[in-house]
Amino acid sequence: MGFFLVLHFLSIHRLFYDTIKGGDYRSREANVYRLAELSNNIIDQCAAQGVPFAREYGGHLANRSFGGAQVSRTFYARGQTGQQLLLGAYSALMRQIHLKKITFFPRHEMLDLVKIDGHAKGIVARDLVTGELKSFAGDAVVLATGGYGNVFYLSTNAMASNVTASWRAHKQGALFSNPCFTQIHPTCIPVSSEYQSKLTLMSESLRNDGRVWIPKKKNDQRDPTQIPEDQRDYYLERLYPSFGNLVPRDVASRRAKEMCDKGYGVGDTQLAVYLDFQDVINREGEKWVAEKYGNLFDMYKQITGQNPYDKPMMIYPAVHYTMGGLWVDYNLMSNVPGLHIIGEANFSDHGANRLGASALMQGLADGYFILPYTIGNYLANNARALDEKHEMYAKTKNTCDEQIKKLLSIGGTKTVDEIHKELGRVMWDNVGMSRTKADLEKTLQLIPKIKKDFWNNVKIPGTDKEFNPELEKAGRLADFIELGELMARDALHREESCGGHFREEYQTKDNEALRKDDQFSYVAAWEYKQEQHIMYQEELNFENVKLATRSYK
C-alpha cells in the first residue's frame, strides 16, 4: 500500500502515461494528467498532517515499486500507508471540529438525496443508534462514500462499505458510469470456509520482493519447502520478463485464476498460488525483511497460523476496488447540478483497471486539491437563499420511512446474509474475474429471482427505532441487488476485454485482453428512468497518448 509522487515534468508524463495504460485506455486524459500534476502536493499535505512516511537513512523519503510501473515512485508508511493517511486526515478533521468549523455526525447513514428544482440541496440520513430519520439542507452535496465491491459479498472492503449513497443518488437522476469495471487484487489471503464474511488484503508491496510460483506438477500436495527449484513455475516472471511479479493487478489476478483452473493451484481448496520470500531472506537476511514487511508477515501468521518466514504465503485474487462509479465532469460534479462526487465513488481517473497506490492519490487529490476550487464554480453561479423548510425535505424523508417500514413488514424466513451470499456467488461466478455472454445472460435471469426472494422472504428482527444492524444491511442489500443487475448488463453490452473487464470471447492468442477501440472507446453512463436503464456514451479522445495494446512482456 502507498501512493505515487513525481518530481519533475518527465516524471509527471510517465505517471500520466502509466496510469492511462494501466487503465487500458478507458479513462479521460485530462483528469489523469491533472492527477499526475497534483501528486507532489499530496505528499507535502500529508507530511504536514504528521503522516510518518518511510525515510532513507539520510532523512529523504523512501520509495518502492508497485504493479504496472518500472520505476520506484511509490511513497509509503511501512505496510500501513492507508491507515496512517486515515489517522492524519482524522487528526486534521478533529482539529477543525474543535475549532467549531465543522459539525460532525457520527453513526449516520445517508439514505437519499434531496433535490429541489433539479438541484442537489441536501440529504436524508438515519441515526444508526436511535433510528431517527433526519434531513440535512445544504447549498451543495458532496459524496465521498467509496466503492461497491461488497456487491460480491466477500471482498477486502470493510463490511459496512456499501453503494447506498451512490445508488440512491443514481435513482434520483445521477448517471452511473462503467459499473462493470471492478478490480480484483492478486495478493489476498484465500477463502478458507463458507462462513467467512470478509477477505484480507496483503499489501501489493509484497510483490517487490516476493516471487509468485506454482508447482509444475498438477495437484501437487507436497509441502512447498520440499518442492525443488526446477519443479517450480515462476509463471509471472516467465510470461512477463520485463515486469515480472510487478505486472498490473488485473493481469496478475487473471493469470493466478488461469493457473488454478488448469489444476496447478495449491492448498486445501487448490485456489491459491505461492508468494515466496526465501530468495530475499537468503539475500538480505530475515531482519531486513522484518523491518520492511514485519507487520504484514505478523498479520498473515495471525490469520493463517503459518509463518511466512519459513513457508511461502498462499494468495489468491479477491475483489478490492471498483473503477466504475457516478459520472462526473472535469469539476467533479455529476449531471445533477450541485451533486459532487469524489474518490472511489466517481468513475473519472482509473479506466478499466486501477494501478496500485492510485486510489489514495485520487482520493486525496479530489478532496484536498480539486473540489475545494471547482465547487466554487457551482456555488458562484447558484447563489440563492437556502429554503430549509422546503417540502422536498419532508417528502424525501417520508419516502425513506416508507421503505424502512416495508422492509420490516416482510417477515420472511431468510437472513439478510443468506440472500447476500446468494447474490455474491452469482456475481463472483459470472461477473467476476472472467465473463462470458452466456454467464452474463444467466445472471440477468437469476438476479430478478434473488430480488423477488429478498422482497418476499427476508427476515429482519427488531424495530426501526433502535440500533438495528440487520435493518442497515437489508437496505444496503436491496441496492446491491439492483446494482448487480446493472453491472451484468454493462458487462454484457461491452463486447471487448479491457483491464478488469475480461470477456473470454475477446482475448488474444496469448490469453490477454483484446480491446475494440473502434467500437468501445467510450464511457458507458447509465441513467435510471422508470425502473429501466438507458445508456449514454461519452467518447474518449486521446490527444497525448497513442492507443496501443498493453504489453508488460
Side-chain angles (χ1 to χ4, degrees), residues 78 121 177 250 302 399 472 480:
R78 213 178 180 196
K121 291 299 176 184
S177 295
D250 61 315
Q302 288 174 11
T399 300
E472 297 168 31
F480 276 138

Side-chain angles (χ1 to χ4, degrees), residues 250-320:
D250 61 315
V251 177
S253 295
R254 217 162 34 241
R255 289 303 187 187
K257 179 181 186 298
E258 178 188 346
M259 298 304 167
C260 292
D261 289 348
K262 288 180 177 179
Y264 295 102
V266 299
D268 293 337
T269 64
Q270 294 189 299
L271 290 177
V273 298
Y274 290 126
L275 181 62
D276 197 333
F277 293 88
Q278 199 56 52
D279 280 1
V280 70
I281 290 173
N282 292 339
R283 187 173 64 249
E284 303 288 350
E286 189 171 309
K287 182 180 178 182
W288 184 91
V289 174
E291 288 176 353
K292 202 168 183 182
Y293 305 117
N295 60 320
L296 297 170
F297 279 40
D298 291 344
M299 181 170 68
Y300 181 86
K301 184 178 180 180
Q302 288 174 11
I303 292 171
T304 66
Q306 296 183 0
N307 187 346
Y309 294 103
D310 299 331
K311 285 186 177 183
M313 288 182 179
M314 286 193 290
I315 58 169
Y316 193 70
V319 176
H320 177 59

Side-chain angles (χ1 to χ4, degrees), residues 17 21 88 121 152 162 169 200 225 227 235 295 309 363 371 417 421 439 461 550:
Y17 172 75
K21 176 185 175 183
K121 291 299 176 184
F152 293 90
N162 62 84
T200 303
T225 60
I227 300 177
Y235 59 90
N295 60 320
Y309 294 103
L371 190 66
D417 283 352
K421 285 180 182 178
D439 285 342
R550 281 195 314 171

Side-chain angles (χ1 to χ4, degrees), residues 109-113 143-152 155 157-172 174-177 179 182 322 324-326 341 344-346 420 423 427 472-487 533:
E109 180 173 39
M110 174 180 162
L111 294 185
D112 214 342
L113 178 71
L143 296 187
T145 49
Y148 47 89
N150 279 346
V151 68
F152 293 90
S155 81
N157 296 171
M159 288 180 63
S161 295
N162 62 84
V163 75
T164 290
S166 292
W167 193 253
R168 303 291 170 88
H170 172 57
K171 295 180 81 168
Q172 289 274 20
L175 300 177
F176 208 113
S177 295
T182 55
T322 52
L326 294 180
I341 323 292
E344 189 179 355
N346 74 35
H420 198 167
L423 174 67
M427 294 300 295
E472 297 168 31
K473 292 192 293 184
R476 297 165 188 166
L477 178 56
D479 298 325
F480 276 138
I481 291 170
E482 294 180 356
L483 168 68
E485 186 171 1
L486 180 60
M487 289 171 66
H533 276 97

Side-chain angles (χ1 to χ4, degrees), residues 295-540:
N295 60 320
L296 297 170
F297 279 40
D298 291 344
M299 181 170 68
Y300 181 86
K301 184 178 180 180
Q302 288 174 11
I303 292 171
T304 66
Q306 296 183 0
N307 187 346
Y309 294 103
D310 299 331
K311 285 186 177 183
M313 288 182 179
M314 286 193 290
I315 58 169
Y316 193 70
V319 176
H320 177 59
Y321 189 88
T322 52
M323 286 75 68
L326 294 180
W327 183 91
V328 290
D329 61 15
Y330 189 70
N331 288 339
L332 303 184
M333 186 168 76
S334 76
N335 59 299
V336 175
L339 176 63
H340 298 75
I341 323 292
I342 64 174
E344 189 179 355
N346 74 35
F347 85 100
S348 66
D349 291 354
H350 306 298
N353 174 65
R354 177 176 70 78
L355 290 185
S358 292
L360 298 175
M361 181 170 64
Q362 185 212 350
L364 293 163
D366 286 357
Y368 285 131
F369 299 108
I370 300 176
L371 190 66
Y373 302 97
T374 61
I375 197 171
N377 184 61
Y378 170 77
L379 296 174
N381 291 301
N382 291 275
R384 56 180 176 178
L386 188 64
D387 181 8
E388 298 185 17
K389 303 295 184 182
H390 196 283
E391 63 177 7
M392 286 306 299
Y393 293 105
K395 186 176 179 180
T396 307
K397 187 161 70 171
N398 288 338
T399 300
C400 295
D401 190 45
E402 288 170 6
Q403 186 186 32
I404 289 171
K405 286 181 167 48
K406 182 179 178 182
L407 286 167
L408 288 168
S409 69
I410 296 170
T413 60
K414 285 187 174 181
T415 66
V416 175
D417 283 352
E418 279 183 85
I419 299 175
H420 198 167
K421 285 180 182 178
E422 291 176 27
L423 174 67
R425 276 192 292 268
V426 169
M427 294 300 295
W428 178 250
D429 291 343
N430 303 328
V431 200
M433 268 191 285
S434 63
R435 298 125 183 217
T436 66
K437 181 179 180 181
D439 285 342
L440 293 168
E441 289 175 341
K442 178 183 175 183
T443 301
L444 291 173
Q445 294 175 346
L446 290 173
I447 289 183
K449 295 177 182 177
I450 295 173
K451 183 177 181 179
K452 182 179 179 181
D453 189 33
F454 172 82
W455 284 106
N456 288 279
N457 207 22
V458 74
K459 173 67 176 177
I460 305 170
T463 72
D464 60 334
K465 303 302 181 187
E466 61 183 343
F467 174 61
N468 191 340
E470 291 302 303
L471 178 59
E472 297 168 31
K473 292 192 293 184
R476 297 165 188 166
L477 178 56
D479 298 325
F480 276 138
I481 291 170
E482 294 180 356
L483 168 68
E485 186 171 1
L486 180 60
M487 289 171 66
R489 197 171 301 283
D490 187 44
L492 182 62
H493 108 273
R494 192 172 281 276
E495 296 182 336
E496 66 163 351
S497 292
C498 56
H501 168 64
F502 189 75
R503 285 282 297 269
E504 292 181 15
E505 306 97 317
Y506 307 102
Q507 54 184 301
T508 67
K509 58 181 174 54
D510 296 324
N511 305 116
E512 302 289 357
L514 181 63
R515 293 198 324 267
K516 290 187 177 181
D517 295 331
D518 57 331
Q519 298 178 47
F520 294 100
S521 187
Y522 61 75
V523 175
W526 297 85
E527 179 187 15
Y528 182 87
K529 199 166 188 178
Q530 298 176 341
E531 299 190 3
Q532 299 292 324
H533 276 97
I534 302 168
M535 188 188 74
Y536 302 96
Q537 297 177 10
E538 177 198 340
E539 298 298 323
L540 293 171

